[in-house]
């Protein structure tokens, strides 16, 4: 399972890329607005940092508008994946764009049936939203499991991109469910590194090493005195 960052914050993307664990980025209109940048500027900047798929979401409502928008986004950088919503217009636009060789991420997916529709238009990614289902008292990860199962049973190549992941347990569960990608907020990626035994272990290793080095130094000095 590849890890993507779900953000448009350049500093976060730069940091995660520096850690060597970042394979792509997803954005949405909320995240772009929060980052306070123009859409195009943000995507072009991200593309300079990450050599992997970068999802940019359409913000229009009709099929024709979304097609025009998608073509414009795809011209920004070859790594741009155009995000369309899972509606008749969104999928209709996605089908036209996919036929032109533009990669499509179908977003706001909450059911297996929506994922099956996305596969029909040749979507590159399907984005089931785990956290938003959890928010309304439904187990979001179950939808990821079922989409993975249905896609395997039907030999569908669309990649399952687990989205709306809110904490590290979601990431583990997405991997166990067989998701191809997990897109996560920066703070979740940071949290994935953390374990108190790792911190304690580092402290202990460095202390042991330093003690042994100091001991060797003392012995060498004592031996030199005897000579
Ligand atoms: C990513 O593609 C989605 O837009 C994002 O994961 C949604 O996350 P949220 O439900 O936490 O806003």
């Amino acid at each position: 399972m590849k890890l993507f960052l779900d953000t448009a914050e350049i500093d976060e993307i730069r940091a995660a890329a520096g850690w060597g664990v970042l394979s792509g980025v997803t954005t949405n209109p909320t995240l772009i607005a929060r980052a306070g940048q123009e859409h195009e500027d943000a995507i072009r900047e991200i593309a300079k940092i990450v050599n992997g798929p970068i999802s940019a979401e359409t913000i229009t409502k009709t099929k024709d508008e979304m097609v025009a928008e998608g073509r414009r986004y795809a011209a920004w950088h070859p790594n741009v994946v155009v995000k369309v919503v899972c509606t008749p217009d969104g999928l209709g636009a996605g089908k036209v764009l996919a036929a032109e060789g533009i990669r499509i991420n179908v977003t706001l997916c909450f059911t297996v049936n929506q994922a099956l529709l996305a596969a029909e238009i040749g979507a590159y990614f399907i984005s089931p939203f785990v956290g938003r289902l959890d928010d309304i008292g439904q187990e979001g990860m179950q939808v990821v499991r079922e989409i993975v199962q249905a896609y395997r049973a039907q030999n569908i190549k669309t990649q399952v991109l687990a989205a709306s992941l809110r904490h590290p347990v979601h990431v583990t569960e997405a991997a166990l469910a067989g998701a191809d990608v997990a897109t996560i907020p920066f703070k979740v990626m940071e949290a994935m590194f953390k374990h108190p035994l790792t911190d304690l272990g580092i402290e202990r290793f460095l202390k042991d090493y330093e003690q042994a080095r100091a001991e060797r130094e003392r012995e060498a000095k004592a031996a030199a005195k005897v000579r």
Side-chain angles (χ1 to χ4, degrees), residues 6-28:
D6 196 23
T7 186
E9 300 290 344
I10 301 300
D11 289 351
E12 295 180 347
I13 294 166
R14 203 167 274 131
W19 300 336
V21 296
L22 186 62
S23 296
V25 171
T26 53
T27 64
N28 63 34

Side-chain angles (χ1 to χ4, degrees), residues 112-148:
V112 175
N113 283 343
Q114 288 178 320
L116 291 173
L117 291 170
E120 283 299 313
I121 65 135
Y124 189 74
F125 290 126
I126 180 69
S127 292
F129 275 37
V130 174
R132 292 195 195 187
L133 281 169
D134 289 352
D135 288 345
I136 59 159
Q138 216 179 308
E139 201 215 332
M141 201 55 71
Q142 187 55 23
V143 177
V144 175
R145 286 184 205 107
E146 287 173 7
I147 293 172
V148 168

Side-chain angles (χ1 to χ4, degrees), residues 3-223:
L3 294 177
F4 288 8
L5 263 192
D6 196 23
T7 186
E9 300 290 344
I10 301 300
D11 289 351
E12 295 180 347
I13 294 166
R14 203 167 274 131
W19 300 336
V21 296
L22 186 62
S23 296
V25 171
T26 53
T27 64
N28 63 34
T30 309
L31 296 171
I32 293 284
R34 229 180 258 160
Q37 278 205 74
E38 282 306 313
H39 203 173
E40 180 173 351
D41 295 342
I43 301 295
R44 284 187 188 275
E45 196 58 36
I46 295 168
K48 285 185 200 157
I49 306 166
V50 188
N51 185 19
I54 301 160
S55 288
E57 186 161 341
T58 52
I59 45 169
T60 49
K61 280 195 175 158
T62 68
K63 175 180 164 181
D64 289 348
E65 287 171 324
M66 282 190 246
V67 168
E69 223 185 329
R71 285 179 182 145
R72 198 158 51 79
Y73 291 3
W76 291 343
H77 195 277
N79 283 344
V80 168
V81 176
V82 175
K83 242 174 158 187
V84 293
V85 288
C86 195
T87 59
D89 279 289
L91 293 191
K95 172 101 181 172
V96 173
L97 295 167
E100 294 175 7
I102 295 170
R103 287 180 295 176
I104 300 299
N105 176 354
V106 174
T107 190
L108 288 169
C109 168
F110 298 95
T111 67
V112 175
N113 283 343
Q114 288 178 320
L116 291 173
L117 291 170
E120 283 299 313
I121 65 135
Y124 189 74
F125 290 126
I126 180 69
S127 292
F129 275 37
V130 174
R132 292 195 195 187
L133 281 169
D134 289 352
D135 288 345
I136 59 159
Q138 216 179 308
E139 201 215 332
M141 201 55 71
Q142 187 55 23
V143 177
V144 175
R145 286 184 205 107
E146 287 173 7
I147 293 172
V148 168
Q149 200 185 336
Y151 276 11
R152 282 196 188 141
Q154 300 297 326
N155 200 22
I156 289 168
K157 300 292 174 226
T158 301
Q159 293 185 45
V160 179
L161 189 160
S164 187
L165 302 181
R166 307 272 174 79
H167 50 72
V169 177
H170 271 159
V171 185
T172 306
E173 287 175 346
L176 292 172
D180 299 286
V181 181
T183 190
I184 52 178
F186 183 72
K187 67 173 173 24
V188 175
M189 190 175 272
E190 274 187 315
M192 285 175 71
F193 281 92
K194 292 195 179 127
H195 195 281
L197 289 179
T198 304
D199 297 339
L200 274 176
I202 293 168
E203 209 176 294
R204 179 74 183 272
F205 281 151
L206 296 181
K207 204 168 136 200
D208 288 350
Y209 184 84
E210 185 47 39
Q211 268 175 0
R213 196 198 57 76
E215 181 67 19
R216 274 201 311 277
E217 211 172 271
R218 271 197 301 277
E219 284 171 5
K221 272 186 191 154

